[in-house]
Amino acid sequence: MNESPPQLGLAALLGLASAIATALLFPYVLALQPDALALAQTATGWPAWGMVALQAAQAGVMCLLLGWAGLKLGAPLGLGAPWFAAWLYGRPRPTRSGWAQAAALGIVAALAILAAIALFGAPIEHPTATPPPSLAFALKGLLAAPYGAITEEVMLRAFVMGLAAWLLSRFSGRQPRSWVMLAAIILAALVFGLGHLPAAARLAPLTADLVMRVIGYNALGGFVFGWLYWRRGLEHAMLAHFCADLVLHVAAPLGGA
């Protein structure tokens, strides 16, 4: 599917986008953890803008390196970012796309997560730091959406899934067999869920129930994003993740306001 080999320029583009998305995330983080920035400033002596710039730069460099490595490993297996590569290098665009499908699947994944929460309970039943639903909180959720769509997808789909698929393909004659991709999708989805535990731990003590819910709910989305990365490319996974976050972090708070 993705015939264009990954290039360092493409990874640099993803790194830059990740840095911007990380900077945009801070209003949402501070809504959930109002003292986080003040504590960091006290510990380092840096001004607020310096802390934001440092975190954004770190995320950008990390995503540049992880994106480059993941795309390079995934390219022989058909994984990549063909639409970005076509735009960046003037290469032919893919003949098939599924933008409406990706957006719809992202929304469905978010609704499935909300349904699971309604059935089995929220990951954190009584979060002391979570502000009440409001338009202001929903707008901060909107600013946070690019972080999930860009930074998390570079780390989890481009790198983790690409690395897992590359390793597993050693057992399939280096061919992108369906079982290889499905196993890589599941692994990346579980790592995606695990990656949300540190943030959950800052809001409530980690318990077995909390861990299972955080991993399970996030893995639901991770399965969808991973399938889209395999079948359509990284851009479609990003779009689905963005639409899912719009439902979870914008529409849901507005609905509860």
Side-chain angles (χ1 to χ4, degrees):
M1 180 187 83
N2 302 327
E3 297 161 359
S4 301
Q7 302 287 339
L8 188 59
L10 178 56
L13 175 66
L14 296 174
L16 176 61
S18 297
I20 295 171
T22 301
L24 292 174
L25 176 67
F26 270 84
Y28 185 73
V29 171
L30 293 178
L32 296 176
Q33 304 168 46
D35 298 332
L37 194 57
L39 291 173
Q41 287 180 263
T42 301
T44 64
W46 285 42
W49 67 266
M51 294 299 301
V52 173
L54 177 63
Q55 292 294 321
Q58 288 177 340
V61 172
M62 182 179 298
C63 285
L64 186 157
L65 297 175
L66 294 182
W68 178 76
L71 290 172
K72 185 174 182 179
L73 293 173
L77 303 174
L79 298 174
W83 294 86
F84 287 151
W87 171 74
L88 190 62
Y89 304 119
R91 295 170 179 165
R93 293 187 301 175
T95 56
R96 296 180 59 193
S97 66
W99 302 112
Q101 178 193 48
L105 286 176
I107 293 170
V108 169
L111 294 176
I113 292 171
L114 292 175
I117 290 172
L119 287 172
F120 304 110
I124 303 172
E125 295 292 353
H126 303 290
T128 56
T130 303
S134 66
L135 177 59
F137 184 56
L139 290 175
K140 291 172 183 177
L142 177 61
L143 290 176
Y147 180 85
I150 300 171
T151 308
E152 290 181 351
E153 285 306 304
V154 171
M155 292 180 179
L156 274 299
R157 247 55 63 184
F159 179 68
V160 174
M161 184 175 156
L163 175 61
W166 180 81
L167 290 172
L168 291 169
S169 71
R170 307 299 95 180
F171 302 98
S172 68
R174 302 192 180 188
Q175 297 300 313
R177 302 190 187 280
S178 295
W179 74 264
V180 168
M181 292 303 177
L182 291 174
I185 289 170
I186 292 170
L187 179 61
L190 293 175
V191 174
F192 180 54
L194 286 168
H196 287 79
L197 288 177
R202 288 191 286 269
L203 299 176
L206 289 180
T207 63
D209 284 345
L210 186 150
V211 170
M212 292 297 293
R213 289 173 181 172
V214 168
I215 293 175
Y217 296 163
N218 284 286
L220 284 174
F223 296 145
V224 172
F225 309 148
W227 184 85
L228 283 166
Y229 180 39
W230 173 31
R231 305 304 298 178
R232 293 284 186 262
L234 186 63
E235 303 88 347
H236 287 71
M238 288 179 167
L239 175 60
H241 199 150
F242 182 79
C243 291
D245 280 355
L246 288 183
V247 173
L248 295 171
H249 302 307
V250 180
L254 283 176

